[in-house]
């Protein structure tokens, strides 16, 4: 017996057997029952969702001589029999991908003049109609606008945006939906039962997710899996056959990240890569998994999970362990990794750093610095206050303590008192006494990103007052680093001078005097115009308000003259007279 693939063998033949398009099939059946038929229909949607199948069922029902009360074809009349035997002269199918010229459309239009021999209508099904050329569309437009009464056009396409608006406005448009995972699993179950194939629901869920909303793709993958598994479709065999990463890896990574087990995650990543899986696919799959865990935390979003019932329960269990803030942070990190993955030259390192950051999201903010978390703002304040404590002299602390921590005796006289341990160890210091405020921090943050190249970016009076007494010494390496960083942060309208400044080497002549050499007066003039901004930036980042900048032009020395070809020859003839004799001997002329 001839083998027929499942996508053809179980292709729907009635509206009721179409999967996942209940609204559209109900509309088409009602149109058949009422007899209110349009002259042109457009079926559009993803591949493998039933566009051409519904077009055939609809064309068959239109010409049925005895339709049922539900609007289905009877499958007994002459029209239905001829259609089932593929000998109907009233239904024509045209593949626009290979018949997209004006001549093909004109030939089709000539056939519309002939009335049907059996039935009421001639139905023309044009598949992949977006492949028609512009000239073919124009030739088709007049007939589509005013077709004969016995002609109905059914157009099918996967790319509606490529069709001319004048064509769209003359059609009833039906948008087909993608198949949901649950609908696909249910249909695959029925096919497996009819074929006598044993299966695991988790395996069918993997096939449904791999199909990505297309039932034809799902049935093709199902046939492939059935052939590989030899009649018993299991989860392990399906992921092996389809080369799909086991979802158990995603559950383990999230569990390990919640427990901050970075080393175990690195070992698991190495195992995954050694199996031949790409790190980018792991990040994409993990991001989808974390999204599902996030959806499983709220009963309202639980229906958004397109997974099997067993997998849904596992997502709910893991959602109870994972904090919502951790899931949000993990999604942001993995989305950023996915964006940068293609441009990265060391893709594995990028994936490892992303997973390390994900595992560190649940670390406590306070505690000893372990070097594994980036320093937060509140830790910055703590360090600044601790650094400022030695500046308080011991007598001042001792004198201030009794004044604020003296105990009164019952008689009203001051009694013996001890300074508080907390007060002596941590004197009350405000951030404002260190020259810090939220306004200053915001200004410094903006200066870190953009070079002060205009008046709006110059340091204000408050910023100068806060840093007036800073006289920190700096090294040549620090000067060069801040110089290069400044050039990289300069705004777009100063990009030309910034590129030239990158090739300059500022030098400390006498602390804190800085000198930079330029090749000519033009560049010196350009730099003099922004000298104040350059000084402000260096003072800010080198923490020295006494820095001075000298710009001087360095003589490049005499430039070597570029000789013409005749001058080169004359120079050769002068140094070697034989060259001139050779020219005279052969009567040569310099071209």
């Amino acid at each position: 017996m001839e083998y027929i693939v499942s996508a053809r063998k179980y292709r729907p033949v009635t509206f009721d057997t179409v999967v996942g398009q209940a609204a559209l099939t109900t509309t088409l059946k009602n149109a058949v029952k009422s007899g209110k038929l349009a002259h042109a229909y457009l079926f559009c949607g993803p591949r493998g969702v039933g566009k051409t199948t519904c077009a055939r069922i609809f064309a068959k029902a239109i010409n049925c001589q005895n339709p049922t009360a539900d609007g289905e074809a009877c499958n007994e009349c002459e029209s239905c029999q001829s259609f089932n035997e593929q000998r109907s002269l009233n239904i024509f199918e045209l593949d626009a991908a290979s018949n997209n010229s004006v001549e093909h459309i004109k030939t089709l239009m000539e056939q519309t003049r002939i009335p049907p021999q059996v039935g009421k209508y001639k139905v023309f099904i044009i598949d992949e109609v977006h492949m028609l050329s512009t000239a073919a569309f124009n030739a088709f437009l007049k007939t589509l606008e005013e077709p004969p009464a016995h002609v109905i056009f059914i157009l099918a396409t996967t790319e509606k945006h490529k069709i001319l608006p004048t064509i769209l406005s003359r059609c009833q448009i039906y948008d087909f939906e993608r198949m949901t995972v649950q609908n696909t699993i249910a249909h695959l179950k029925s096919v497996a039962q009819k074929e006598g194939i044993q299966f695991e629901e988790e395996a069918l869920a993997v096939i449904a997710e791999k199909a990505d909303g297309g039932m034809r793709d799902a049935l093709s993958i199902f046939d492939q899996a059935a052939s590989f598994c030899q009649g018993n479709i299991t989860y392990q065999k399906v992921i092996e056959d389809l080369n799909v990463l086991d979802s158990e890896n995603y559950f383990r990574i999230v569990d390990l990240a919640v427990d901050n087990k970075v080393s175990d995650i690195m070992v698991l990543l190495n195992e995954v890569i050694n199996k031949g899986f790409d790190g980018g696919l792991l990040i994409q799959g993990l991001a989808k998994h974390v999204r599902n865990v996030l959806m499983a935390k709220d009963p309202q979003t639980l229906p958004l999970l397109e997974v099997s019932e067993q997998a849904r329960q596992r997502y709910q269990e893991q959602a109870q362990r994972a904090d919502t803030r951790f899931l949000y942070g993990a999604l942001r990190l993995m989305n950023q990794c996915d964006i940068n993955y293609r441009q990265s030259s060391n893709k594995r390192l990028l994936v490892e750093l992303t997973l390390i950051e994900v595992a560190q999201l649940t670390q406590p903010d306070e505690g000893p610095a372990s070097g594994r978390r980036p320093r937060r703002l509140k830790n910055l304040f703590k360090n600044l206050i601790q650094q400022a404590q030695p500046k308080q002299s011991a007598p001042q602390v001792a004198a201030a303590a009794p004044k604020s921590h003296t105990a009164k005796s019952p008689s009203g006289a001051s009694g013996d008192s001890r300074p508080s341990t907390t007060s002596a160890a941590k004197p009350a210091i405000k951030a404002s006494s260190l020259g810090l405020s939220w306004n200053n921090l915001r200004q410094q943050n903006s200066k870190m990103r953009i070079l002060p190249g205009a008046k709006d970016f110059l340091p204000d009076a408050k910023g100068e007052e806060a840093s007036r007494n800073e006289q920190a010494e700096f090294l040549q390496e620090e000067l060069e680093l801040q110089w290069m960083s400044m050039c990289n942060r300069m705004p777009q309208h100063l990009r030309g001078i910034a590129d030239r400044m990158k090739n300059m080497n500022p030098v400390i002549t006498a602390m804190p005097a800085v000198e930079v050499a330029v090749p000519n007066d033009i560049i010196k003039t350009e730099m003099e115009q922004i000298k104040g901004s350059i000084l402000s930036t260096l003072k800010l980042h080198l923490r020295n308000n006494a820095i001075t900048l000298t710009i001087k032009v360095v003589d490049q020395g005499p430039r070597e003259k570029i000789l013409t070809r005749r001058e080169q020859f004359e120079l050769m003839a002068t140094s070697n007279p034989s060259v001139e004799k050779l020219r005279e001997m052969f009567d040569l002329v310099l071209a």
Side-chain angles (χ1 to χ4, degrees), residues 296-314:
K297 292 188 74 69
D298 192 340
Q300 294 182 352
T301 57
L302 189 60
L304 298 180
L305 297 183
E306 293 187 349
V307 295
S308 63
E309 189 62 31
Q310 182 180 359
R312 182 173 300 181
Q313 294 177 359
R314 292 201 62 186

Side-chain angles (χ1 to χ4, degrees), residues 268-286:
L268 179 57
L269 172 63
N270 185 65
E271 294 176 358
V272 170
I273 294 178
N274 287 340
K275 291 179 181 178
F277 293 100
D278 183 62
L281 295 178
L282 173 66
I283 291 294
Q284 294 174 9
L286 184 59

